[in-house]
Amino acid sequence: MRTWPLLVLSIAACRPGASPPASRDAAPADADAGAAELAALDGAGLYGKLCAVCHGADATGYKADNAPSLVNRTFLESATDEQLRRSIGEGRPGTSMAAYSTARGGPLSPEAIGKIATWLRGHGPAPIALPARSAGDAARGEPLYVTHCQRCHGTAKARGDAVHLANPRFLDAASDPFLGWAIAKGRPGTAMAAWEGTLTEAQIDDVVAYVRAFGGPPAEPLLPAPTGKEPIVINPRGRAPSFEPRSTPCPPSRADAGKPACTPDGRFVSVDQVRQALEQKRRLVIIDARPPSDWMRVHIPGAVSIPYHDLSRLAEVPNDGTWVIAYCACPHHLSGDVVDALRKRGVRHAAILDEGILEWHRRGYPVVTAPGVEPPPKESRGLSMPGSPR
Ligand code: HEC
Ligand code: HEC
C-alpha cells in the first residue's frame, strides 16, 4: 500500500480577504450576454469574455486562482489540439476550471472551443514530435515526487498551488510524453523549473509513472441541466435573513493626503451566515455564477444557475430588498461579476458568498450533487506563484 507523507495543509486559498480588492477589475466589461452573443464571437472574443478573468488577458496565467499559463512555449509545443480541446471542454472538476463544452453542460459548442484553441495556438509554436518515454517504476518515482514536486503540485487528495496532476481529467488528456516533456523542459518564466540535469531520464520516467498512478475515478454522471425555469426565490414566505456582510478592506489610509475614507461596500457574506439562513428557512436568492456544467455536478439546494456568461435570468431577480447571494468556485471572480451586474440594476442587497462553493462543500454543508461527487480536495499552500496578486 502506498503511504502518504503528512503535509502541513492549510485551507488558505478561499480564506476571507484572500482576494485583493483590485481583483474586481478582472471582471469583463460586459458580462451580460447570452448564447447568441457567444456564437457571434471569434476565438479572441470568446477568450476575453470567458477565460481572461482567471488566465489573464494575454493568457499567461495567474490572474486568479493560480490558473496556469496557456501560452507557455513548452506547453504549446507539447500539448496536442485534442488535449487543448478536452481540457477546455471537460474542465478540471473540483477546481475552479469548469467544463465549458455544451456536451458537459457548459456554454461552448465544439466549434467555439476549436476557435479558442486556435487562438491560443497562435501564441506559440506548433506541436513538435515528442520523445517517447520508457516505462518507469512508480515506487521509485514516489520519493522523487515527494521531495521535488509535492510542495507545488500537492498530493492525490490535495491540490497545491500549481496544476493538480492527480485530477482525473488532467490525466485523461495528458500523455506520458507530454508529462515527461513538461518535467524535463519546465515552463520557462514560471515557477516550474526544467528538471533535466537534476533528474536522469530514468528518474523522469519513474516520476511520470508515479503521477500516472494517481489514476482517479471515471467521470461522474451529471445532474440534469438547468431548465431556466427553476424558481428564483428560496422560501418565498420566509422572513429576511439578518446578514452582516463584510466589506472589501480599505486601502491603507493616508489621512494627511486629505483622501476621503473608503465607503464600506458590504460585499461578502460568510458560508456560516448563509447556511444558517437556509436552516432557518429565510427568504433569499442564491445564484450559482459558474457555467451550468458546474451546477450540474454540485450546487447549494435552491441555488439558481445564472452563469457569468449569460445573465439573462437576472431580470427575474426581485428588487424588493430580498437578499441575493452569488457564489462561484473560489474565490470571488465570477460571483463578483454577477454582484456588480445586480448592483448596476439597483439591487442593493446583493453579496458574494465569501468562501465560495468549494469551501461550502468541503465543510459538509448541504448540497445537491450528481451521484458520486465527493467534496473537493483540500488546498495546500506552499508558495506564491509568479505574477500572483497575493
Ligand atoms: C474561474 C477561473 C477559470 C476560468 C474562468 C477558466 N479557467 Fe482554465 N483553468 C483554471 C485553473 C485553476 C486551472 C488549473 C486547474 C488545476 O488545478 O488542475 C485551469 C486549467 C486550464 C487548462 C489546462 C492547462 C494545463 O496546463 O493543463 C486549460 C487549457 C484551460 N484552463 C483553458 C481555459 C479556457 C479556454 C477558459 C475559457 C473558456 C478557461 N480556462 C476558463 C481556472 C479557470
Ligand atoms: C516551485 C513549484 C513547482 C515545483 C517544485 C514543480 N512544479 Fe511542476 N509546475 C509548476 C507550475 C507553476 C506549473 C504551471 C506553469 C505554467 O503556468 O505554465 C507546473 C507545470 C507542471 C506540469 C505541466 C502541467 C500542464 O498541464 O501544463 C507538469 C507535468 C509538472 N509541472 C510536473 C512537475 C513535477 C513532476 C515536478 C517535480 C519533479 C514539478 N512539477 C515540480 C510548479 C512547480
Side-chain angles (χ1 to χ4, degrees):
M1 220 193 83
R2 182 187 296 157
T3 51
W4 295 107
L6 270 177
L7 260 191
V8 184
L9 296 174
S10 64
I11 304 174
C14 307
R15 69 180 177 266
S19 176
S23 63
R24 264 190 280 152
D25 299 342
D30 172 26
D32 206 343
E37 191 181 325
L38 287 185
L41 292 172
D42 62 4
L46 287 166
Y47 178 87
K49 181 158 193 67
L50 296 174
C51 323
V53 60
C54 294
H55 291 282
D58 57 1
T60 54
Y62 308 101
K63 186 79 187 168
D65 291 0
N66 283 329
S69 170
L70 302 177
V71 293
N72 199 282
R73 175 172 58 77
T74 62
F75 176 68
L76 286 178
E77 73 192 4
S78 60
T80 63
D81 286 351
E82 168 68 10
Q83 180 177 354
L84 280 180
R85 285 196 300 265
R86 275 171 77 170
S87 297
I88 302 167
E90 305 281 312
R92 300 282 160 83
T95 77
S96 62
M97 179 63 198
Y100 279 87
S101 69
T102 46
R104 301 288 291 169
L108 296 178
S109 65
E111 294 70 37
I113 290 177
K115 284 192 221 170
I116 299 179
T118 305
W119 181 79
L120 289 173
R121 275 268 169 253
H123 290 72
I128 57 172
L130 298 175
R133 306 291 328 172
S134 313
D137 179 325
R140 279 201 306 261
E142 175 169 5
L144 294 170
Y145 181 89
V146 170
T147 310
H148 297 302
C149 323
Q150 187 163 279
R151 71 191 164 98
C152 295
H153 289 287
T155 64
K157 298 211 179 322
R159 185 186 188 271
D161 282 316
V163 185
H164 197 212
L165 305 179
N167 191 291
R169 297 289 80 75
F170 170 75
L171 289 172
D172 284 352
S175 67
D176 286 358
F178 171 88
L179 294 174
W181 192 255
I183 299 168
K185 304 293 174 190
R187 297 275 186 253
T190 76
M192 177 65 191
W195 290 88
E196 61 186 1
T198 308
L199 299 177
T200 65
E201 284 297 307
Q203 285 176 317
I204 293 177
D205 289 332
D206 293 342
V207 173
V208 168
Y210 178 72
V211 167
R212 186 57 71 196
F214 282 138
E220 302 125 347
L222 293 173
L223 297 167
T227 58
K229 304 249 180 323
E230 288 79 13
I232 295 271
V233 180
I234 303 174
N235 305 318
R237 284 161 206 283
R239 288 193 293 131
S242 44
F243 288 147
E244 285 171 22
R246 181 179 74 80
S247 290
T248 311
C250 290
S253 76
R254 280 183 293 154
D256 50 322
K259 294 219 163 187
C262 92
T263 337
D265 57 7
R267 239 176 123 72
F268 306 100
V269 172
S270 72
V271 288
D272 288 322
Q273 291 182 51
V274 174
R275 182 180 76 152
Q276 197 183 35
L278 281 180
E279 269 170 8
Q280 296 173 341
K281 305 237 178 301
R282 297 302 171 94
R283 174 184 165 91
L284 79 166
V285 176
I286 302 184
I287 294 177
D288 188 318
R290 304 169 300 164
S293 45
D294 274 349
W295 185 93
M296 290 158 67
R297 292 188 73 245
V298 54
H299 59 261
I300 295 177
V304 60
S305 168
I306 306 186
Y308 73 111
H309 50 79
D310 180 2
L311 298 180
S312 42
R313 284 203 84 190
L314 279 194
E316 298 170 49
V317 172
N319 188 0
D320 58 0
T322 303
W323 269 102
V324 186
I325 304 296
Y327 67 78
C328 56
C330 164
H332 306 137
H333 300 90
L334 312 184
S335 49
D337 283 6
V338 171
V339 166
D340 289 342
L342 281 164
R343 290 190 170 190
K344 236 190 267 168
R345 287 164 193 251
V347 178
R348 280 174 46 238
H349 290 80
I352 295 167
L353 183 71
D354 203 349
E355 301 90 337
I357 174 78
L358 297 185
E359 180 58 19
W360 174 286
H361 194 190
R362 240 179 238 128
R363 291 193 191 186
Y365 293 180
V367 284
V368 179
T369 68
V373 172
E374 298 286 337
K378 283 196 211 137
E379 305 238 345
S380 68
R381 189 120 312 234
L383 75 172
S384 257
M385 287 295 159
S388 133
R390 216 179 320 272

